[in-house]
């Protein structure tokens, strides 16, 4: 249920994002989306601690909304800010960052579950979602820093 809800939320937020990109600051959208991912990851941690499946569903749905807003916007920004004739390089860098981030994040979270699982699965899952939260917090801070820069300065 949680995966379905977050996937539907991601899709709906992506549709909404495509309609507001023209008038909303892309940098603010990335920072806001990352903030929702952060809130969702921390919500899942609280749900694990409290044992509430409903809270976990809601929290991961919030994270799905954040992904729908931030993911598409980051690709839009990366390709639209590229110099003319260098769009392929920009997309290549985005793909490398995405693949590297997914690999490192999955490896670190999987390691946390494995190491924590020796003590308890709950401990491993909490550690894994805290790793997700750290990544989202970093993305939120970078997005907020970028949104404070004047246009044309990255």
């Amino acid at each position: 249920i949680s995966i379905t809800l977050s996937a539907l939320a991601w899709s709906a937020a992506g549709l909404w994002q495509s309609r507001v990109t023209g008038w909303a600051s892309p940098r603010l959208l990335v920072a806001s989306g990352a903030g929702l991912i952060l809130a969702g990851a921390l919500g899942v941690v609280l749900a694990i601690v409290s044992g509430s499946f409903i809270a976990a569903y809601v929290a991961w749905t919030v994270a799905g909304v954040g992904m729908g807003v931030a993911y598409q916007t980051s690709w839009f920004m990366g390709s639209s800010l590229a110099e003319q004739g260098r769009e392929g390089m920009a997309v290549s860098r985005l793909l490398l960052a995405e693949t590297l981030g997914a690999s490192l994040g999955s490896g670190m979270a999987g390691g946390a579950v494995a190491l924590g699982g020796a003590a308890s699965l709950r401990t491993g899952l909490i550690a894994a979602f805290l790793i997700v939260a750290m990544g989202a917090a970093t993305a939120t801070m970078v997005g907020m820093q970028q949104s404070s820069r004047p246009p044309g300065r990255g």
Side-chain angles (χ1 to χ4, degrees):
I1 293 175
S2 179
I3 293 172
T4 301
L5 289 175
S6 63
L8 290 172
W10 182 333
S11 297
L15 179 64
W16 174 82
Q17 175 274 343
S18 70
R19 296 175 188 271
V20 302
T21 298
W23 57 267
S25 163
R27 292 179 177 115
L28 182 60
L29 288 173
V30 170
S32 300
L36 288 170
I37 297 166
L38 172 62
L42 292 176
V44 171
V45 169
L46 293 175
I48 292 169
V49 170
S50 70
S52 170
F53 286 110
I54 299 298
Y57 296 155
V58 170
W60 209 233
T61 300
V62 168
V65 171
M67 283 298 295
V69 173
Y71 182 78
Q72 284 88 327
T73 308
S74 63
W75 276 90
F76 167 76
M77 283 180 58
S79 58
S80 66
L81 294 175
E83 295 176 23
Q84 187 173 2
R86 300 194 48 101
E87 295 89 351
M89 179 68 76
V91 170
S92 176
R93 289 177 179 167
L94 284 167
L95 187 56
L96 176 62
E98 178 182 339
T99 304
L100 185 60
S103 299
L104 289 173
S106 298
M108 291 177 8
V113 170
L115 291 173
S120 80
L121 181 59
R122 175 182 268 187
T123 302
L125 289 172
I126 289 171
F129 280 99
L130 287 175
I131 289 168
V132 172
M134 288 188 315
T138 302
T140 303
M141 290 186 292
V142 168
M144 289 181 358
Q145 175 190 18
Q146 293 293 322
S147 66
S148 66
R149 292 185 180 179
R153 301 256 180 196

